[in-house]
Amino acid sequence: YNTMENLLKPDFFNTSNGMVKTMMSTVISVTLPKTTNTKLTKPVNFTFKHIREFDPSGSLSCVYWNISKWIVDGCSVLKTNSSYTVCSCDHLSTFSIVQTSHPPE
């Protein structure tokens, strides 16, 4: 989705207080016809291109949209570099990447 990351903001991702949250990719939705999108027999991998500069001191999370917030259940980061992140998830949904980092002093 073009600019969906501006609507489904990283503020909807629960983290410890004081953390800075940044959307690092566009938002994608993945579905298959005639499925419920729950618990796949094999995980599916997605490669996301970063839409802004990656903070090496930050932490990346593969997230999916669940009604009103971003959550990580069933998704994990397989690998990442300064430009791309590969996520692995055991279900289909609407996905993105959120970076969390400590605020600058």
Side-chain angles (χ1 to χ4, degrees), residues 5-65:
E5 67 278 3
N6 296 328
L7 296 173
L8 303 180
K9 298 179 184 299
D11 297 340
F12 298 124
F13 182 55
N14 289 332
T15 60
S16 56
N17 288 341
M19 296 297 282
V20 175
K21 298 172 275 191
T22 308
M23 295 301 286
M24 291 299 294
S25 72
T26 55
V27 175
I28 65 165
S29 285
V30 182
T31 61
L32 287 172
K34 300 180 184 176
T35 66
T36 60
N37 296 333
T38 59
K39 289 293 180 186
L40 301 171
T41 55
K42 288 181 171 179
V44 63
N45 297 340
F46 307 102
T47 301
F48 290 94
K49 184 177 193 300
H50 297 168
I51 59 174
R52 52 189 48 90
E53 191 173 333
F54 172 67
D55 177 0
S57 68
S59 175
L60 292 176
S61 297
C62 298
V63 296
Y64 75 95
W65 188 251

Side-chain angles (χ1 to χ4, degrees), residues 33 61 68 84 90 103:
S61 297
S68 63
Y84 295 90
D90 64 7

Side-chain angles (χ1 to χ4, degrees), residues 39 62-64 66 71-76 89-91 95:
K39 289 293 180 186
C62 298
V63 296
Y64 75 95
N66 185 9
I71 58 177
V72 297
D73 299 346
C75 292
S76 60
C89 298
D90 64 7
H91 61 281
F95 301 97

